């Protein structure tokens, strides 16, 4: 499947930032938090990532010419 650059960029950035949040969670869980790591920052980051995930889905649907109605939602 061919994927437009815009979608690849959004998905790549999202994946990178999700990995960073996962790393923060692991450090907090292991008790070796880095400067700036906190449960509040994790929560805020997850909320921001959810918004970006919705944006990525919209881009993908637009590129496919599909709407939410096409998926029964």
């Amino acid at each position: 499947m061919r994927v437009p650059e815009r979608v690849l960029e959004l998905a790549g950035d999202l994946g990178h930032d999700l990995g960073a949040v996962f790393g923060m969670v692991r450090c907090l869980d292991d008790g070796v938090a880095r400067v700036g790591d906190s449960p509040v920052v994790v929560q805020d980051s997850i909320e921001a990532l959810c918004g970006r995930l919705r944006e990525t889905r919209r881009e993908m649907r637009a590129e496919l010419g599909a709407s939410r109605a096409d998926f029964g939602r």
Side-chain angles (χ1 to χ4, degrees), residues 13-67:
D13 290 347
L14 188 62
H16 176 269
D17 293 346
L18 182 59
V21 172
F22 179 72
M24 189 183 310
V25 170
R26 291 291 309 264
C27 286
L28 288 167
D29 188 52
D30 291 344
V32 290
R34 300 164 294 193
V35 174
D37 289 354
S38 74
V40 172
V41 172
V42 168
Q43 182 64 41
D44 291 346
S45 297
I46 290 171
E47 288 173 11
L49 286 169
C50 286
R52 289 175 50 206
L53 178 59
R54 283 189 294 277
E55 176 188 346
T56 301
R57 287 179 176 160
R58 277 193 302 271
E59 272 301 314
M60 292 171 73
R61 286 186 186 109
E63 288 295 330
L64 292 170
S67 70

